[in-house]
Amino acid sequence: MSEEAKLPNMMNMHCGRQPPGQQPPGDSGNPASPKRSALKQAARLTGPVGMGYLPLGIAFGAFAVTQGFPVWLTILSAAIIYAGSMEFTAVSLILGGIDFFQIALTTLFVNFRHVFYGLSFPLRKIKSAPARLYAIHSLTDEAYALNASHLADKRLTGPVVLSINLLCHLYWLGGVTVGAFVGKALPFNTDFLGFALPALFVTLAIDAYRQSDYPLLGLAALACGLIGAIWCGKYMLITALSLFTVVVLLHCGWVMRRNPSGKGGA
């Protein structure tokens, strides 16, 4: 390169500018920072989830406050418990005076599926230890589904994974916050909202029964619930869940011996 050609480059470098035709290291021409880019990508992916989380969060916030939870505790539970249907259950268990051991064990049963989520969740993409801990805490069915369905996408970086979980969490927290204040401001008696929790789980149970390849399991679940309610009093939920877990394990063993392919009805 001639001295005349070197001079403009040296002046550009001295002034902090890149020579023409060259980009700074790591700059692909997009002025957005990597974090902002990750948030944008996560926002596109989580939009449909937000449309579901916001109204459901509003429903939970109103439900919890009208059942006796203070507004601050309702919002705190959305941030810390953050377990979907288990949050609805926790309201009834806490207000019903159920001891901590039963609440913890019930939570384990209800959310045990998260153990299997961890086997394929792309936690290795997240480098920071605190960020990993938050990603574990904020893992929900929807966040897992979004991340797991894009595992082969090279754009699913650590910041994107973390942003997906964060935005889902914020959708839920925002909905619950709005619902808590709405529930506090309702001018009429809201005792009827206590039926929201049984209605939610009855609906989920009916839907699961209709889609199941083994409908007899639904009847077994009903039988376990009746046994717990009749003979176990306040330990009804733990007893029913424990019995049903045994039934499911026995059923899985029977299906595997009878039909290794796992197909067919009971």
Side-chain angles (χ1 to χ4, degrees), residues 3-14:
E3 293 298 327
E4 291 79 1
K6 289 180 180 179
L7 184 57
N9 287 344
M10 293 175 64
M11 292 179 64
N12 284 330
M13 294 174 63
H14 179 72

Side-chain angles (χ1 to χ4, degrees), residues 52-118:
Y53 270 21
L54 287 172
L56 187 58
I58 291 173
F60 169 73
F63 168 77
V65 169
T66 55
Q67 296 306 298
F69 260 37
V71 171
W72 69 267
L73 185 57
T74 301
I75 297 173
L76 186 64
S77 73
I80 296 178
I81 300 177
Y82 186 46
S85 58
M86 187 57 215
E87 285 190 59
F88 283 89
T89 307
V91 171
S92 298
L93 294 178
I94 293 172
L95 294 178
I98 305 299
D99 61 80
F100 176 79
F101 173 75
Q102 287 195 72
I103 294 176
L105 196 56
T106 300
T107 303
L108 176 64
F109 276 115
V110 173
N111 288 334
F112 189 75
R113 64 190 183 281
H114 285 218
V115 172
F116 302 100
Y117 289 172

Side-chain angles (χ1 to χ4, degrees), residues 58 61-62 65 70-72 74-75 174-186:
I58 291 173
V65 169
V71 171
W72 69 267
T74 301
I75 297 173
V176 171
T177 300
V178 172
F181 284 104
V182 169
K184 188 70 174 178
L186 290 177

Side-chain angles (χ1 to χ4, degrees), residues 7-237:
L7 184 57
N9 287 344
M10 293 175 64
M11 292 179 64
N12 284 330
M13 294 174 63
H14 179 72
C15 297
R17 298 193 298 268
Q18 291 294 323
Q22 296 185 21
Q23 295 291 340
D27 189 353
S28 59
N30 185 359
S33 67
K35 290 184 179 179
R36 185 178 302 175
S37 177
L39 278 173
K40 286 183 177 180
Q41 185 177 345
R44 288 194 297 269
L45 293 173
T46 59
V49 174
M51 295 177 65
Y53 270 21
L54 287 172
L56 187 58
I58 291 173
F60 169 73
F63 168 77
V65 169
T66 55
Q67 296 306 298
F69 260 37
V71 171
W72 69 267
L73 185 57
T74 301
I75 297 173
L76 186 64
S77 73
I80 296 178
I81 300 177
Y82 186 46
S85 58
M86 187 57 215
E87 285 190 59
F88 283 89
T89 307
V91 171
S92 298
L93 294 178
I94 293 172
L95 294 178
I98 305 299
D99 61 80
F100 176 79
F101 173 75
Q102 287 195 72
I103 294 176
L105 196 56
T106 300
T107 303
L108 176 64
F109 276 115
V110 173
N111 288 334
F112 189 75
R113 64 190 183 281
H114 285 218
V115 172
F116 302 100
Y117 289 172
L119 298 177
S120 55
F121 183 71
L123 191 64
R124 63 187 181 279
K125 294 179 178 288
I126 302 174
K127 306 304 180 183
S128 166
R132 285 189 172 193
L133 290 175
Y134 175 74
I136 293 170
H137 165 67
S138 57
L139 181 61
T140 62
D141 297 341
E142 292 77 15
Y144 169 78
L146 286 174
N147 283 297
S149 62
H150 292 83
L151 286 177
D153 192 339
K154 293 182 180 179
R155 294 174 297 176
L156 189 71
T157 61
V160 174
V161 172
L162 194 61
S163 296
I164 288 174
N165 284 28
L166 175 63
L167 289 178
C168 289
H169 199 175
L170 290 177
Y171 296 146
W172 177 256
L173 186 58
V176 171
T177 300
V178 172
F181 284 104
V182 169
K184 188 70 174 178
L186 290 177
F188 50 83
N189 189 301
T190 56
D191 289 344
F192 68 91
L193 288 176
F195 186 71
L197 181 62
L200 171 66
F201 282 101
V202 167
T203 302
L204 292 174
I206 292 174
D207 188 54
Y209 178 80
R210 288 176 174 174
Q211 296 184 22
S212 175
D213 292 330
Y214 307 104
L216 289 180
L217 282 179
L219 298 178
L222 177 61
C224 292
L226 291 174
I227 292 172
I230 294 172
W231 284 292
C232 300
K234 67 177 184 178
Y235 296 101
M236 173 265 176
L237 190 57

